[in-house]
Amino acid sequence: ELSRFQHFLTLSLAYKQTKEDKYYLEFETQILDWIKENPLGLGINWSTPMECSIRAINLIQAFHIFEERIPTNLKEIIITLIYNHGHYIRNNLEWSPAKENHYIADLTGLFFIGIFFNKEKWISFSKKELEKEILNQVSEDGVDYEASLNYHRLVTEMFLLILILSKNNNIEFSNIFKMRVENMCNFIMYYIPSSGNAPQFGDTDNSRILDIWNKNINDHRDLLTIASVLFNRGNFKSKCKYHKKLALLIDKKEFDKLESEEITLTSKAFKDYYIIRDKELFIMIHCGHIGRNNFGGHGHNDQLSFVLSYDKDDYIIDSGTYCYTSDKLLRHQFRSTSYHNTLLINNEEQAEIQINSPFDMKFKHPAVCDQFEEDEKEIMFIGHQNNFKRKIIYNKVTQEIIIEDKTNKESNLQFNLHLHPFIKVAKKENKYTLNYKIKIFTEDSNLVTTKYSSGYDQIEDSNSISIKKYGNYLKTIIQF
């Protein structure tokens, strides 16, 4: 997406590091061509205010780094372009009754542009709306309400950038705002297993504001690097991942000075998500709304679905997303109930998928957690969704997981366990051995080929254990 101008930051950093003029000249050629080919308010690159915000933020960053090299006449042209972006965003905010990351991005762009011009109206408006939206879109314990962990990552990035910019310009956000952002980072710390890859619950989008982050879209640990300094959290530092480009946002000396605090993460309940941990075991369960307080959007039919990682490897995974609108059949396939580690009843979707609505579903039924408890011997989760009840018990002593699925009446049941492509599977009757470490005991089942997407526009073959039965009870056992 070249019109986001994220590569301008790369060019400006290359110029700053080498002082080679070819990097500046490429920037100058491209910006003049872009202005010529994209008249204000016309064409696809002016159709979405979020895109305008990302473009403006990156242009501002590149402008500051290139500033000494840019001739006066071009400075005036670029400054005018940035100002026009501010006017366009302010007059075309992506407002809806259940707002999403687009609206946060619009406000983030307006806040950056407002500070660039010291335009108080834009600063105060965006600040006021950001304060309001974080309460609407983020739970008290720090969970973004779009039912997608990768969108949680994107929104957290925007809020962190806001806090850094406000700190550098002596603008004070409320303690509630800062606490919500800190809790968003705390949620990230908890949902990252020892593999380093965040589960892909909900839509997996490769979108970022600045192109300085880890290229692995599912590794969210560099956000903890920023948060460790911003919130003085040694436990964030112990779980983070540092690389040189992050020095654009934080003082490396402050990061080095911060003492790392090693902690053992435990089982924990968050809004709509439940995490079971024990030594090298990590299980995360989605149980709640289908996104935006059940308004929909980036959520999938994954209620009571779970993922499982063990000893630095991801075993049972979310299949991902692959695409939005380029292939509607694959879009809906990856959103479907059967493409998640949950129960498919009578071949009916948890929420009806509409072929021409890639971001909506009919008859959304949220899931409810009935019990989440831990004692010395076991950790137990019980939840239900419509006429389906799931119990997951982890026995700490025997290192065994028992999954019990029940329905109100006898039905055709199907439970697919989606495996990471790197997992080696050995099958003997209804017992499966994964990487010689994990055993899964099922009822009548087969190993079938399925699809896995590690990021947007990426797809490969994988395997799933497909369990089928007619009845109202299904039991699956996982041993370590």
Side-chain angles (χ1 to χ4, degrees):
E1 297 174 308
L2 293 177
S3 285
R4 288 186 169 189
F5 290 176
Q6 289 169 321
H7 62 293
F8 282 176
L9 186 55
T10 304
L11 286 171
S12 63
L13 290 173
Y15 173 78
K16 182 180 180 181
Q17 183 174 323
T18 66
K19 296 300 180 185
E20 291 186 32
D21 214 37
K22 64 180 181 180
Y23 298 114
Y24 165 73
L25 292 174
E26 182 64 25
F27 163 76
E28 181 181 287
T29 300
Q30 287 194 30
I31 192 66
L32 288 172
D33 180 75
W34 193 93
I35 292 169
K36 177 185 175 184
E37 298 295 333
N38 295 273
L40 177 62
L42 298 177
I44 192 170
N45 290 318
W46 290 101
S47 64
T48 308
M50 179 180 185
E51 299 297 313
C52 297
S53 293
I54 295 173
R55 179 164 59 244
I57 290 169
N58 281 276
L59 184 54
I60 287 170
Q61 304 311 305
F63 179 85
H64 283 311
I65 298 172
F66 275 133
E67 190 168 6
E68 63 179 25
R69 176 62 182 83
I70 303 174
T72 302
N73 64 325
L74 183 56
K75 280 183 184 177
E76 292 176 359
I77 292 171
I78 293 174
I79 289 170
T80 301
L81 178 62
I82 295 170
Y83 195 80
N84 286 339
H85 272 70
H87 267 292
Y88 182 85
I89 295 165
R90 180 63 183 90
N91 293 330
N92 295 277
L93 292 167
E94 294 170 90
W95 191 96
S96 68
K99 294 179 280 298
E100 56 179 348
N101 64 87
H102 278 241
Y103 189 61
I104 299 293
D106 298 349
L107 298 172
T108 303
L110 194 62
F111 188 73
F112 267 75
I113 298 168
I115 287 178
F116 185 79
F117 289 105
N118 195 27
K119 190 171 176 63
E120 181 57 34
K121 284 186 177 180
W122 289 351
I123 295 171
S124 60
F125 172 79
S126 54
K127 179 179 179 294
K128 180 188 72 175
E129 288 296 297
L130 285 163
E131 290 268 14
K132 186 165 63 177
E133 281 309 306
I134 201 168
L135 298 179
N136 292 335
Q137 298 194 31
V138 180
S139 66
E140 190 173 351
D141 60 353
V143 181
D144 179 77
Y145 81 158
E146 291 199 66
S148 160
L149 295 190
N150 265 304
Y151 276 99
H152 178 93
R153 170 198 46 74
L154 174 63
V155 174
T156 304
E157 178 193 350
M158 289 190 276
F159 284 141
L160 287 174
L161 293 176
I162 288 291
L163 285 180
I164 292 168
L165 191 63
S166 62
K167 181 181 178 182
N168 292 342
N169 289 273
N170 298 314
I171 297 172
E172 194 65 30
F173 275 77
S174 70
N175 288 331
I176 293 177
F177 183 93
K178 289 184 280 190
M179 181 60 74
R180 288 281 164 107
V181 181
E182 184 175 354
N183 287 344
M184 293 179 83
C185 298
N186 193 64
F187 180 46
I188 291 173
M189 179 176 70
Y190 270 90
Y191 72 56
I192 297 175
S194 57
S195 68
N197 296 312
Q200 294 190 85
F201 287 112
D203 277 343
T204 299
D205 190 289
N206 290 24
S207 185
R208 282 159 176 188
I209 304 303
L210 300 176
D211 186 21
I212 63 171
W213 308 101
N214 192 317
K215 295 301 180 185
N216 176 5
I217 199 71
N218 298 311
D219 189 343
H220 304 175
R221 290 175 292 178
D222 41 12
L223 288 173
L224 294 179
T225 305
I226 305 303
S228 68
V229 174
L230 210 55
F231 300 112
N232 194 33
R233 291 277 297 264
N235 57 352
F236 285 173
K237 183 175 181 179
S238 72
K239 305 297 182 183
C240 79
K241 196 170 187 178
Y242 179 84
H243 50 82
K244 290 181 179 179
K245 284 186 178 180
L246 298 181
L248 284 166
L249 302 179
I250 57 171
D251 187 336
K252 179 64 163 56
K253 291 179 181 178
E254 283 189 48
F255 177 74
D256 291 338
K257 188 170 62 176
L258 180 64
E259 189 172 338
S260 181
E261 179 189 344
E262 294 292 337
I263 63 166
T264 300
L265 296 174
T266 57
S267 300
K268 193 172 178 64
F270 289 90
K271 168 74 172 170
D272 293 347
Y273 296 95
Y274 299 83
I275 296 171
I276 295 172
R277 282 184 180 270
D278 183 52
K279 299 173 185 175
E280 292 299 316
L281 173 67
F282 170 91
I283 299 172
M284 189 169 186
I285 307 157
H286 182 215
C287 175
H289 291 99
I290 299 179
R292 297 162 75 194
N293 291 333
N294 234 37
F295 188 83
H298 291 296
H300 290 188
N301 277 339
D302 60 1
Q303 295 300 334
L304 303 181
S305 180
F306 70 95
V307 296
L308 185 152
S309 300
Y310 180 73
D311 192 24
K312 298 183 180 179
D313 286 316
D314 301 319
Y315 282 83
I316 299 172
I317 55 168
D318 187 285
S319 299
T321 298
Y322 179 59
C323 68
Y324 285 162
T325 57
S326 59
D327 188 322
K328 288 182 179 179
L329 290 178
L330 278 174
R331 165 62 174 162
H332 297 313
Q333 184 173 313
F334 275 95
R335 297 168 75 205
S336 67
T337 307
S338 65
Y339 254 58
H340 297 88
N341 308 305
T342 189
L343 194 66
L344 180 67
I345 305 168
N346 291 328
N347 207 33
E348 294 177 358
E349 295 291 343
Q350 288 184 344
E352 184 183 331
I353 289 175
Q354 303 167 87
I355 192 66
N356 293 316
S357 300
F359 297 102
D360 198 12
M361 301 177 196
K362 277 187 176 180
F363 312 117
K364 308 174 189 74
H365 299 288
V368 177
C369 175
D370 301 305
Q371 189 176 344
F372 187 66
E373 294 179 352
E374 179 175 8
D375 58 29
E376 292 180 357
K377 293 183 179 179
E378 66 181 26
I379 305 168
M380 178 186 294
F381 166 87
I382 301 175
H384 72 273
Q385 193 261 349
N386 210 13
N387 62 345
F388 159 41
K389 187 172 186 177
R390 167 165 281 182
K391 179 190 290 187
I392 299 176
I393 301 172
Y394 170 65
N395 188 309
K396 299 178 186 178
V397 180
T398 61
Q399 288 193 300
E400 182 178 75
I401 299 167
I402 298 175
I403 303 166
E404 296 182 325
D405 293 330
K406 294 181 180 179
T407 56
N408 295 342
K409 59 182 180 179
E410 291 194 336
S411 308
N412 288 308
L413 309 179
Q414 182 176 350
F415 175 26
N416 297 330
L417 283 169
H418 296 273
L419 307 178
H420 194 283
F422 294 154
I423 299 301
K424 295 178 181 177
V425 186
K427 181 179 186 288
K428 186 176 181 181
E429 296 179 343
N430 287 315
K431 183 183 84 171
Y432 300 82
T433 304
L434 312 182
N435 281 12
Y436 310 104
K437 289 184 179 181
I438 295 177
K439 292 182 175 64
I440 300 179
F441 300 86
T442 71
E443 302 195 42
D444 289 343
S445 61
N446 289 294
L447 192 66
V448 300
T449 301
T450 185
K451 299 293 183 184
Y452 168 68
S453 173
S454 61
Y456 197 83
D457 204 32
Q458 298 174 20
I459 194 168
E460 60 184 302
D461 286 339
S462 188
N463 292 310
S464 75
I465 300 169
S466 185
I467 308 158
K468 294 183 179 181
K469 178 184 179 181
Y470 182 81
N472 65 348
Y473 176 78
L474 198 62
K475 184 176 182 179
T476 308
I477 298 173
I478 304 173
Q479 293 178 345
F480 300 89

